[in-house]
Amino acid sequence: MGSRRIFGAVAVFMLLSTMTWGLSLEPLIQSFNPASASGRIRTFRVTNTTDQPIAVVIRMTTRSVDENGTESREEAENDFVVFPSRVTLQPGTSQAVRVQYTGTGGQEVERAYRII
């Protein structure tokens, strides 16, 4: 990595509905490096912090912010494979989720994504 950082990804857990308030995602930030096979894969942990089962769908989006601070996102299913992308978590349980960057390598600028 060092001064020649090829690619970075920001993974931020989005709370999209009231049912998801009982979920946590760790870590919140990961960096991917498409120049190496091991740099393309990262693992996250999703945890159900409620006392009821929760169904979870996990997906990736691009992330960009304009000069006014407004964030925009687009689907990034062509750049990532998420496994498993759907899980049912029992109360107090966790699931490891593997995210693999499958996009093109050799990026000259850092790109940001969200895991939702």
Side-chain angles (χ1 to χ4, degrees):
M1 278 203 190
S3 61
R4 184 156 166 105
R5 185 182 214 174
I6 306 268
F7 171 76
V10 176
V12 179
F13 188 54
M14 299 292 295
L15 301 175
L16 296 178
S17 72
T18 57
M19 279 304 292
T20 61
W21 286 106
L23 294 176
S24 68
L25 178 77
E26 294 178 355
L28 290 179
I29 298 174
Q30 288 274 23
S31 292
F32 291 76
N33 182 353
S36 71
S38 64
R40 290 177 168 263
I41 300 171
R42 297 292 181 256
T43 301
F44 296 87
R45 180 158 300 282
V46 180
T47 303
N48 178 355
T49 60
T50 72
D51 59 359
Q52 297 184 19
I54 297 178
V56 181
V57 176
I58 303 157
R59 63 187 177 89
M60 298 294 296
T61 67
T62 62
R63 178 183 183 268
S64 60
V65 180
D66 68 16
E67 62 277 354
N68 296 320
T70 303
E71 181 175 312
S72 61
R73 295 186 299 269
E74 294 181 17
E75 292 300 318
E77 70 243 5
N78 293 331
D79 290 339
F80 291 91
V81 172
V82 177
F83 183 80
S85 62
R86 297 170 189 261
V87 297
T88 300
L89 294 171
Q90 296 303 315
T93 63
S94 296
Q95 171 71 49
V97 176
R98 187 181 81 178
V99 177
Q100 180 175 0
Y101 178 72
T102 57
T104 58
Q107 302 298 320
E108 295 298 320
V109 296
E110 183 174 286
R111 294 188 293 173
Y113 294 87
R114 282 199 185 269
I115 184 170
I116 299 176

